Every structure is written in C-alpha cells, then in structure tokens.
Amino acid sequence: MVFRCLPEPAFLGVARRREQVFNFAAGPGAIPEEVLLQARDELLDWRGTGMSVWELPFTGAEFREITARAADDLRQLLAIPSQYRVLFMHGGASAQFSLIPLNLLRGKGSADYADTGHWSRKAIIEARRYCAVNVAASGAATGFDRIPAWEEWRLDPGAAYCHITANETANGSEYHWVPDTGAVPLVADMTSNFLSRPVEVVRYGLIYAGAQKNIGPAGLTVVVVREDLIGGAAAATPSVFDYAIQAEADCCYNTPLTYAIYLAGLVFQWLKRQGGLTAMEARNARKSHKLYAAIARSGGFYRCPVIPRDRSRMNVCFTLADPALTESFLEQAAECGLVNLRGHKAAGGLRASLYNAMPEEGVARLVEFMDEFARTRG
Ligand SMILES: *Cc1c(COP(=O)(O)O)cnc(C)c1O
C-alpha cells in the first residue's frame, strides 16, 4: 500500500518484493507465507460461500465453524485440558493488564507481580489502578539482564494471583522454568513466546497473548483460563471484557474479531503441519542458538546484555561495542533485505525477533551479514 500523502515509494527506502525481505520485527511480526497465500486465495470467496470471511455474519454457521476449528486446533497444539476455556478477545494484551485484575481479584485486595522489564512494568502500572501490587521479584537492580532467581521471590500468600511476563519482548529475556506459586493462580503474559514451545498449561491459572507477535493480526488476544477462575468479575467490568460473559457467549457476546480469528486459525493449522510445538521449539532453539553464537564469537564487537541462562529464543537483543555504528548496521542490513532490526526504544541497540514465521534461512542470512559487518568494521 502506498500512502498518497507521502512521496512514493521513498518512505520505504527502496521498493522491495516480498521474497527479498526477512522481517525481524518484534510486532506486528512476520506471518508464515503459506498462510498469507491461503488467505489470498480465499479472500473473495471463502469455501464456495460466495463471501469473504470479512463479510460473514458472526452468528452464522460458517463463522461458528471457523472459530470452533481455531479453538480446537489451539487446544490440540497446546494440549489444553478440558477444565480450561479458550477465549478470543479484543483489546490486545494491554487490555488484559486491566482485565486480569478486574476479573481475577474477586474481592481480594492484592496481587503479586514479577518485575522483569518493559512489559511487566506496564502490567504493574495498570494493575495499581485496581489493587495493591506486591512486586514479588525484580530484575531492576541489574538492568533487567536476568529473570530473578526463585530464591529471591517474596510471594504474598494472600495474593489473588501472581503475574509474570513469560518473555520480555523489549529486554530479550525469557523464563525457561515455571514459578511454582502453589495455591495462588499463576498468570502469564505469553504475548511474545506463545506457541513457540510446548507449555504445561496446568501450571497456570491463566495464559494470555496478543496475537500480533506470534499468531496473526493485531487486536486479537487469546486467553486460556481455568474454569474455576471465571465468574465474579468486579461490578464495573465492561460486559465485553467479562470472562464469564464471553465464555457463556462463546466469545460472541458482541462482534468478535472475525477476520483475525480466521487468520489465527490458519496459523494454528500451519503449526500443526510443521509438526506442532515440539518441532517449533527445536527450530526456535536452533535459530536463537545460531544468533547468540554469532554474537559470542564476535569477540565483543556485538554484546548481548542478558545473562546466558535467561536469554530469549524469540527476541534476541544485542548492542554494538561502538554504538556509533548502530545506524550504519541498520542501513546496511536493510540493503541486504534484513529489516526491522532496531531495538525497542526502552532498551536501545538492536533486536532480531525470531518468531515462528522466521525461517532458518533468515537467521543464516543475518548471521552471515553480522560476521561480515564485524570483519569489515571491527
Ligand atoms: C507487545 C506486547 C504487549 C502489548 O501488546 P498489545 O497487543 O499492543 O497491547 C504486551 N506484552 C508483551 C509481552 C508484548 O510483547
């Protein structure tokens, strides 16, 4: 698309074709090409209905089938036990920062939060509007270069729930273990690592993920919630955001994000064809190891601020020993079709997001470029 108010196509730098680009964006991120091709083929006429998915009534049998299939495929991928509900909601992950306290406090006055970086801080700020927040653990003292070790956590047994950010998209850290919060339900923001690896769902009371990182279009948010936590939302909770009302209505209390659910469903089918989450985990481990290895062998030319134990497989954050080279790194990478490598503004530096849709070839090309850039500029 060309925005007419901008000189075309200069705002893109150089015009490129899809096959010339590897998109390392943190979000919205890349979507598997197979999925986009299928969506293109079905755009005008979904399965002989003579209508686009955009045009299907959400109360009709066709759309019901699309949602049911998407929910079912997700249940299979994550092996979601029957006592959990899958909700497709509006508002992005940021809406859940409010909806979690509104729905889960249920008369309690406090909740535990682990402070591991940019996104957990956003969740904490929002939760403070509804309850007392006990920061059970914080990585602030060491600049969020790690997930606080379990021995350092100070949990409140009276907390309504304990919230973690499973993968810190901006800081490049990830939990490779699951906190055991006992009877206090564990709530996880998995926006940026959802479906990147198998998850033991029973360890969590609630898992949520904004779709635009690893599932599909922005706005859609997937919530997987244990049934006993549904009900008893605060009286002021908008009906569209009440888990009980949406669960009761099969997420059709109001018009759901029909096209986004359809596209997410295509991604779930694609993941099944790839061999499911075990296969994705192996692939994601290979991709991230390859990139961290390139950083390590650069002899300090590139640096990763996160300690090895807690490094993210999804968002590889790194800096250049000489920050003055950052802009030319970005420019030259873009010339090679390696785009959207700028770090989050809260963290600076560089970041390569390696979501499911990033092929191994993209990482190989990035590593080749980085080796060459270090050799010629180092
Ligand atoms: C991107 C992101 C969010 C915010 O998602 P929105 O859909 O834009 O609200 C929240 N948490 C994490 C971990 C993220 O990566």
Side-chain angles (χ1 to χ4, degrees):
M1 181 171 71
V2 175
F3 297 101
R4 258 179 298 137
C5 55
L6 292 165
E8 68 155 312
F11 73 102
L12 286 171
V14 268
R16 288 195 191 88
R17 292 194 311 276
R18 184 169 182 92
E19 59 270 25
Q20 296 172 316
V21 165
F22 287 106
N23 179 9
F24 292 92
I31 291 176
E33 184 158 290
E34 257 178 75
V35 167
L36 295 175
L37 290 171
Q38 187 179 346
R40 183 186 69 180
D41 290 346
E42 296 179 339
L43 186 66
L44 293 182
D45 182 353
W46 185 74
R47 315 249 167 112
T49 55
M51 291 172 279
S52 162
V53 173
W54 270 306
E55 302 167 307
L56 295 174
F58 76 95
T59 47
E62 294 94 348
F63 179 69
R64 295 258 170 199
E65 189 193 317
I66 289 171
T67 326
R69 171 89 199 263
D72 215 54
D73 284 334
L74 181 63
R75 297 194 86 96
Q76 283 179 35
L77 281 167
L78 273 172
I80 299 175
S82 58
Q83 72 273 28
Y84 286 77
R85 295 292 303 257
V86 171
L87 305 178
F88 294 122
M89 299 189 67
H90 297 83
S94 301
Q96 297 299 323
F97 295 166
S98 296
L99 305 189
I100 285 158
L102 281 168
N103 280 275
L104 299 190
L105 281 171
R106 303 200 287 183
K108 293 199 171 174
S110 72
D112 285 339
Y113 277 75
D115 173 20
T116 47
H118 178 77
W119 287 110
S120 52
R121 296 208 136 180
K122 291 259 203 179
I124 288 168
I125 288 166
E126 205 64 15
R128 286 207 169 110
R129 295 153 57 102
Y130 306 96
C131 66
V133 167
N134 170 45
V135 175
S138 175
T142 53
F144 300 119
D145 68 343
R146 67 194 65 201
I147 303 294
W150 184 233
E151 305 79 70
E152 296 165 24
W153 289 48
R154 297 289 170 263
L155 295 164
D156 168 8
Y161 59 88
C162 176
H163 181 281
I164 63 168
T165 307
N167 183 75
E168 282 284 2
T169 325
N171 305 82
S173 63
E174 181 175 7
Y175 288 76
H176 299 291
W177 53 284
V178 184
D180 180 359
T181 51
V184 173
L186 182 62
V187 172
D189 176 358
M190 291 197 188
T191 297
S192 49
N193 66 352
F194 195 60
L195 304 182
S196 70
R197 60 202 297 175
V199 168
E200 218 186 319
V201 175
V202 291
R203 308 279 301 269
Y204 301 85
L206 185 148
I207 292 167
Y208 66 103
Q212 75 276 23
K213 310 286 164 68
N214 216 6
I215 313 174
L220 174 66
T221 314
V222 177
V223 175
V224 179
V225 56
R226 213 171 61 209
E227 258 164 6
D228 64 283
L229 299 175
I230 299 176
T237 310
S239 298
V240 293
F241 288 146
D242 184 319
Y243 297 151
I245 290 174
Q246 285 291 12
E248 173 66 28
D250 273 334
C251 296
C252 287
Y253 171 78
N254 69 325
T255 315
L257 289 154
T258 54
Y259 197 81
I261 293 169
Y262 156 75
L263 210 69
L266 297 188
V267 171
F268 300 156
Q269 289 167 30
W270 177 81
L271 286 168
K272 286 170 74 180
R273 292 198 298 277
Q274 304 303 302
L277 302 190
T278 310
M280 290 322 296
E281 178 176 38
R283 188 190 295 180
N284 290 327
R286 276 198 303 276
K287 290 187 307 193
S288 55
H289 288 161
K290 191 171 183 131
L291 186 43
Y292 286 121
I295 293 167
R297 71 167 171 265
S298 75
F301 185 81
Y302 302 109
R303 294 176 186 176
C304 172
V306 180
I307 66 167
R309 186 194 67 194
D310 298 328
R311 287 180 181 171
S312 170
R313 290 178 184 165
M314 292 285 101
N315 310 100
V316 176
C317 293
F318 57 104
T319 57
L320 290 162
D322 177 4
L325 290 175
T326 304
E327 291 307 317
S328 59
F329 179 97
L330 288 166
E331 266 165 42
Q332 289 180 34
E335 278 167 26
C336 300
L338 307 165
V339 301
N340 294 324
L341 285 160
R342 191 184 294 282
H344 190 281
K345 60 186 184 305
L350 300 158
R351 169 176 58 177
S353 295
L354 311 179
Y355 298 129
N356 287 337
M358 173 57 64
E360 296 196 52
E361 191 203 337
V363 180
R365 288 268 293 278
L366 175 60
V367 163
E368 227 173 86
F369 169 80
M370 286 170 62
D371 286 346
E372 180 65 14
F373 187 84
R375 200 178 57 77
T376 53
R377 307 297 292 272

